[in-house]
Amino acid sequence: MIDLLVLGAGLSGLVAALRAAEEGRRVKVIAKGMGAHHWNAGTIDVLGYLAGDEQPVEAPWTAMARLEDDHPYQLIERDAARAALTWFQTLTARCGLGYAGADGERNMLLPSPAGAWRPVFLAPAAQAGGEADAGRPMLIVGLEGMRDFYPHFIVRNLTAAGQPARAATLPWSVVSAARDRNSVQLAALLDEPAAQQRLVSALKLVAQPGERIGLPAILGLHRHTEVMAALQRELKCPVFEIPTLPPSVPGIRLTTALRHELERRGVRVEVGMEVIGFHAEGDAIQWVETATSARPLRHRAAAYLLATGGVLGGGFSSDPGGRFWETIFDLPLTVPQDRTQWFRPLFLDPQGQPAFRGGVSVDSSFQPVDADGRPVYANLWAAGGALAHADPILERSLEGIAIVTGVAAADAIVRERDFEGVRG
Amino acid sequence: MAPISWHSVDLSLDECIKCNICTSYCPVSAVTDLFPGPKYVGPQAQRFRDPDQATSPDHSVDYCSGCRVCNEVCPTGVKIAELNARARAEIVADKGLPLRNRLLGRNELLGKLGSFAPPLANFGLHNPLSRFLAEKVMRIAREAPLPTWSTTGTFRDWLKRTAKERRKSDKKVVYYHGCATMYYEPFIGKAAVAVMEHNGFEVIVPEQNCCGLPLLSNGEFGAARNYHRGNVGKLAGFARAGLPIVGTSTSCTLTLKEEAPELLDMDDESSVQLKMATWDIFEWLRELHEAGDLRTDFRTVDLKLPYHAPCQMRAHRIGKPALEIMALIPGLEIAESHARCCGIAGTYGYKVEKYQIAMDVGAELFDFVAAQGDGVTYSACDSETCRWQLEHGTDLPSRHPIEILAAAYGLYDLDRRDLILA
Ligand code: SF4
Ligand code: SF4
């Protein structure tokens, strides 16, 4: 039997699986789909906004003190949370996907696909090059006809925000002979040296000395680091990436790197597995069942980690009658059970949306608890978007919460669970 | 022909959020402009297909190989590959089927015909002149990796010959061999029988039909229904008696479990009983192992083995059981392929207009095998047509994991592909 079954292959699930595997635990990850990371810009947003504040957060660690007491970040010692992110940085660097931050204290401001500033704590090296700096002008370059990436629109917004920038558009044929290629396919094309050469030649015609060049995040899928190095070497100027709308290449690069690392450690990640049931005896989960082409398949483990994401990740379901529940274990949720209270009238209400804050309540060991604060199951933990009392979209804290709570839950499992005893 | 039913897939259609993720991963649209990708031919075109009018707006759906990569990555669970299979069936209903597809759909018939005189049939099928003619007349690609008929008799011939040596036991299991094992690769069946007997089981091999998958994937639903009815009639009784029905062909077991009942809307009691009793052989062995009942008296197998789980395994949604069981073998160093598809997709890559697409799709896998270095002597894959394609694309012999397992038990010679007699 394995030690830990992780349910969900988003950032929190993969990170927790790696952490437990590093501690020598036998881990398996199962997930319904691989969808979520395509939405991820690849950046690690720790805390970008506080509810009610218009201004972005400058120093996330300090700002955390102003979060409510039951916010997931408040369940963890600040030093432990910082250490989790440092661990993540070391880990991704080892996978050949370097992450950079400002100084370990402050957020960077990086351009969004629309040219608005986004407060980001850690970014892939390629995106960190786009940090706001009025002293270093930008040249934003797109491809003619590329969907959802408009250099002139981006430049208008950047300039309005005080960032000197110019726009240029290259013919589509520079990258692809075929029309209708999306960002992932364009990135795969740019893995090829010939396509990189065409791009370099075209960029040389538009770039001016002293500029840094911002391109959509399609600079290589599997050979991203090499592609970045080749472009900067040939162009003799800094090049950076701006994330695109989904499917997002930097998110895919991150997931791929983490999955490689898991495989290297002997952790299987099984996708296409939808949990349809579970069995508990007393307060211990005995197995979960996933749908197959015939009979349900049972997965047994000593410990289970719920990392299925919240409303956004598909970890919760609702019915037209207004009931709202956690999909796998039917855990109690903190969301108002009356649907009319889910959403405030204004979608972008500065106070956030109650439905997004809803989720699974956990204790300080990240075990889901009932209304009386007692663990629902003795061998169940939860991390990431499923947790209650956070609004990751409004706060821009999605990846930060995923990593910090994923690590904390894995550590709690490793610490509290006497696996040898369970193994018998 | 019965109208093609859409109900189970239509429900999933509304879930499409047009995110385009399926298209980013579709291995076919990545290599050819003839196929615009799953989002366009699946959920998008579906909105214009009228179930009362058997005219599909988009014939490029015929280029979908059915690999199901799209299903797996779709974040909202749209059954894209199934939408495409039904759309293809509508085209067939609409336009009729070329002789070639009729022939490729009839694996069992071909197998039987060739088995009357295998050397002759092999020569007839594999000499350059007939392959040239087959390409011109039938549009079957001249280079495609067609199988060869067994020249040492069919699997059933072997069963008859060795009937006295077969193990008797209270523990019984039913074996579904499928057409490929019957006519082309009887050694797969021998390895499977040897492994199951080694674990204390008596292996029952009842009469059986082709599972009908080649017909389903060529859009011939009517003929497929007859095959499936035949199998239900011959096998459901064993299911009722509580016996597991295990198969070595990933696609056959998938068809018995899900493809046939779902695509053909056969949800009668017997079909369901057969579905629920059918197992991929490694899925079943894994279950034995978890119950502590699998023998692990393995010898060391010093091999570096690139393993590719076939696309149909993805559709089983049982993980990669062969990988888990082979991992128990000492000395065996397995390299897991993450290539999306070998390209062949059943009979897809045999067709002259698709041969090159299939080879381009498979390049990802061939490169992976090549990257494992010179010391590699075999690749492994559970599915027969994928193994043939792998051999074609890599010049390396390919083996079924059951052959590897039989060899690890000391029962089988991987090189000669035959049992080692004690
Ligand atoms: S089944 Fe395979 S070939 Fe067909 S649309 Fe989906 S990914 Fe593409
Ligand atoms: S991945 Fe699924 S939801 Fe996205 S476009 Fe394809 S079918 Fe639609």
Side-chain angles (χ1 to χ4, degrees):
Chain A
M1 188 166 64
I2 56 166
D3 298 320
L4 172 62
L5 182 70
V6 176
L7 307 161
L11 192 55
S12 59
L14 296 182
V15 156
L18 258 176
R19 183 80 171 190
E22 279 188 359
E23 294 299 317
R25 301 301 185 251
R26 285 174 299 185
V27 185
K28 184 164 89 173
V29 182
I30 60 173
K32 182 171 165 192
M34 284 305 297
H37 66 270
H38 300 92
W39 270 272
N40 184 330
T43 56
I44 308 303
D45 301 359
V46 169
L47 185 60
Y49 288 91
L50 289 169
D53 264 10
E54 294 243 332
Q55 286 305 310
V57 165
E58 269 182 39
W61 305 113
T62 329
M64 274 178 202
R66 290 174 51 205
L67 292 169
E68 283 171 37
D69 285 347
D70 47 11
H71 191 282
Y73 280 143
Q74 304 288 34
L75 302 175
I76 305 162
E77 294 290 332
R78 214 66 81 215
D79 284 347
R82 283 171 183 260
L85 285 170
T86 312
W87 170 82
F88 173 82
Q89 244 180 311
T90 319
L91 172 80
T92 43
R94 196 166 60 228
C95 303
L97 200 67
Y99 271 77
D103 55 2
E105 295 299 329
R106 286 176 304 117
N107 281 329
M108 300 178 283
L109 290 177
L110 302 181
S112 78
W117 291 128
R118 306 183 299 135
V120 168
F121 188 69
L122 290 177
Q127 284 185 52
E131 195 177 359
D133 183 348
R136 295 162 63 221
M138 294 175 174
L139 170 65
I140 308 297
V141 182
L143 295 174
E144 198 169 18
M146 184 175 171
R147 266 174 304 215
D148 304 326
F149 192 90
Y150 306 106
H152 291 87
F153 177 66
I154 296 174
V155 161
R156 197 165 66 219
N157 285 335
L158 287 175
T159 329
Q163 172 66 46
R166 290 192 305 128
T169 305
L170 304 179
W172 177 264
S173 58
V174 166
V175 178
S176 168
R179 295 300 312 178
D180 209 26
R181 288 283 175 257
N182 68 27
S183 48
V184 181
Q185 292 163 327
L186 292 172
L189 288 168
L190 278 170
D191 279 339
E192 299 300 327
Q196 292 160 28
Q197 263 317 317
R198 287 198 303 275
L199 181 60
V200 166
S201 309
L203 285 171
K204 276 184 178 161
L205 299 176
V206 290
Q208 285 170 9
E211 284 177 329
R212 41 182 173 149
I213 304 179
L215 290 154
I218 56 169
L219 303 179
L221 186 61
H222 302 296
R223 306 210 179 90
H224 169 60
T225 316
E226 289 133 272
V227 177
M228 283 300 290
L231 291 188
Q232 314 211 56
R233 190 177 57 236
E234 302 270 327
L235 292 162
K236 301 187 184 64
C237 76
V239 171
F240 65 93
E241 285 191 325
I242 299 173
T244 65
L245 294 186
S248 157
V249 175
I252 295 171
R253 289 183 198 131
L254 173 57
T255 304
T256 308
L258 295 175
R259 286 188 65 172
H260 277 158
E261 188 65 11
L262 283 163
E263 187 179 339
R264 208 175 60 74
R265 293 191 171 274
V267 177
R268 300 206 51 73
V269 179
E270 309 275 18
V271 183
M273 295 211 168
E274 183 183 2
V275 178
I276 50 168
F278 74 104
H279 175 71
E281 268 163 34
D283 66 352
I285 295 164
Q286 304 293 315
W287 68 72
V288 299
E289 287 185 333
T290 55
T292 77
S293 43
R295 308 149 296 275
L297 177 65
R298 279 183 190 169
H299 309 256
R300 295 169 190 276
Y304 299 80
L305 176 70
L306 183 77
T308 46
V311 187
L312 301 166
F316 304 154
S317 311
S318 60
D319 63 23
R323 204 175 89 78
F324 195 65
W325 69 97
E326 186 280 310
T327 312
I328 295 182
F329 300 106
D330 199 11
L331 297 171
L333 294 181
T334 61
V335 82
Q337 286 297 326
D338 176 0
R339 216 180 217 271
T340 57
Q341 289 175 30
W342 282 9
F343 294 104
R344 293 181 210 276
L346 226 70
F347 186 73
L348 289 176
D349 191 305
Q351 293 298 326
Q353 294 298 344
F356 287 157
R357 299 189 70 84
V360 175
S361 270
V362 292
D363 63 16
S364 60
S365 305
F366 288 87
Q367 294 212 259
V369 291
D370 59 21
D372 301 326
R374 280 189 304 262
V376 184
Y377 295 104
N379 56 349
L380 178 64
W381 282 259
L387 300 179
H389 312 302
D391 185 344
I393 301 304
L394 174 119
E395 296 165 1
R396 288 208 161 271
S397 59
L398 192 69
E399 298 84 17
I401 290 180
I403 294 172
V404 167
T405 65
V407 166
D411 288 353
I413 293 167
V414 167
R415 212 169 38 238
E416 290 178 27
R417 198 74 196 163
D418 177 4
F419 287 106
E420 294 311 321
V422 173
R423 269 178 211 157
Chain B
M1 184 174 173
I4 289 142
S5 144
W6 293 94
H7 73 250
S8 63
V9 289
D10 261 359
L11 288 179
S12 75
L13 191 64
D14 288 337
E15 306 283 319
C16 177
I17 52 171
K18 309 227 165 23
C19 65
N20 241 317
I21 287 170
C22 49
T23 304
S24 343
Y25 283 90
C26 171
V28 173
S29 76
V31 300
T32 175
D33 281 338
L34 293 170
F35 186 57
K39 183 185 145 206
Y40 302 96
V41 299
Q44 206 146 307
Q46 182 59 23
R47 300 191 187 279
F48 302 102
R49 290 186 194 116
D50 177 353
D52 299 327
Q53 153 203 342
T55 313
S56 162
D58 186 0
H59 287 186
S60 66
V61 68
D62 191 39
Y63 280 89
C64 164
S65 75
C67 69
R68 286 191 186 73
V69 166
C70 49
N71 285 21
E72 184 170 293
V73 295
C74 172
T76 63
V78 179
K79 293 182 174 177
I80 311 161
E82 284 76 5
L83 286 171
N84 290 351
R86 283 174 166 77
R88 186 161 34 233
E90 287 205 335
I91 296 178
V92 169
D94 183 21
K95 293 208 316 185
L97 194 67
L99 173 64
R100 179 213 39 208
N101 293 21
R102 267 184 211 286
L103 204 64
L104 288 177
R106 283 172 178 70
N107 208 356
E108 187 176 19
L109 184 68
L110 283 175
K112 270 190 195 147
L113 288 176
S115 295
F116 286 121
L120 209 65
N122 284 332
F123 177 76
L125 187 62
H126 290 280
N127 75 73
L129 177 65
S130 56
R131 288 303 294 269
F132 175 78
L133 290 173
E135 178 164 301
K136 289 294 157 224
V137 181
M138 312 266 293
R139 305 193 30 86
I140 292 175
R142 157 169 22 159
E143 308 89 333
L146 295 186
T148 50
W149 280 275
S150 161
T151 50
T152 55
T154 65
F155 173 60
R156 207 163 271 285
D157 292 341
W158 174 79
L159 276 179
K160 269 194 207 122
R161 226 169 32 236
T162 60
K164 287 206 194 64
E165 299 151 38
R166 302 275 57 89
R167 178 191 269 271
K168 297 279 171 240
S169 166
D170 294 343
K171 296 200 291 180
K172 295 185 202 315
V173 56
V174 175
Y175 179 44
Y176 185 87
H177 46 71
C179 303
T181 296
M182 183 68 170
Y183 302 108
Y184 307 121
E185 303 189 319
F187 40 83
I188 303 287
K190 295 187 202 178
V193 168
V195 165
M196 292 187 277
E197 290 187 349
H198 186 70
N199 279 287
F201 284 84
E202 176 178 337
V203 182
I204 302 170
V205 188
E207 284 293 320
Q208 48 192 267
N209 289 121
C210 170
C211 66
L213 179 66
L215 293 166
L216 286 171
S217 57
N218 282 301
E220 275 192 89
F221 280 22
R225 184 170 283 113
N226 288 339
Y227 273 148
H228 191 61
R229 275 211 193 99
N231 277 323
V232 170
K234 288 164 184 153
L235 299 170
F238 294 101
R240 273 192 291 277
L243 296 189
I245 298 160
V246 306
T248 36
S249 167
T250 328
S251 51
C252 297
T253 48
L254 180 67
T255 306
L256 296 182
K257 282 176 171 186
E258 192 165 45
E259 294 282 89
E262 189 161 301
L263 286 171
L264 303 170
D265 276 323
M266 289 174 68
D267 49 11
D268 56 291
E269 199 182 344
S270 298
S271 291
V272 173
Q273 282 163 340
L274 175 56
K275 169 191 174 95
M276 288 306 185
T278 303
W279 301 75
D280 166 74
I281 191 160
F282 276 93
E283 177 191 18
W284 179 73
L285 291 168
R286 178 175 66 186
E287 198 80 358
L288 275 192
H289 180 57
E290 272 166 20
D293 293 336
L294 183 78
R295 283 179 68 169
T296 51
D297 50 341
F298 300 119
R299 20 192 105 179
T300 304
V301 177
D302 277 316
L303 277 183
K304 174 152 193 194
L305 186 69
Y307 167 73
H308 175 72
C311 292
Q312 301 94 345
M313 199 55 99
R314 195 175 282 135
H316 273 276
R317 288 162 282 153
I318 53 176
K320 297 182 178 176
L323 194 76
E324 288 176 47
I325 295 300
M326 286 195 292
L328 304 172
I329 301 172
L332 188 64
E333 190 192 330
I334 306 168
E336 179 185 357
S337 146
H338 293 290
R340 286 169 285 185
C341 177
C342 72
I344 198 78
T347 56
Y348 181 91
Y350 292 166
K351 299 167 187 171
V352 69
E353 74 278 14
K354 291 167 187 137
Y355 170 79
Q356 196 51 48
I357 296 176
M359 290 305 283
D360 292 346
V361 167
E364 202 175 308
L365 175 59
F366 309 150
D367 291 348
F368 162 78
V369 173
Q372 303 311 310
D374 288 340
V376 175
T377 44
Y378 303 107
S379 65
C381 179
D382 313 66
S383 163
E384 54 277 356
T385 48
C386 306
R387 276 198 307 279
W388 302 334
Q389 169 85 342
L390 256 168
E391 295 186 332
H392 181 53
T394 64
D395 288 328
L396 210 60
S398 190
R399 295 292 179 259
H400 190 296
I402 201 70
E403 295 177 89
I404 309 283
L405 193 66
Y409 280 135
L411 304 168
Y412 190 83
D413 185 322
L414 276 180
D415 228 25
R416 288 191 298 112
R417 302 194 107 168
D418 204 351
L419 296 181
I420 298 170
L421 297 172

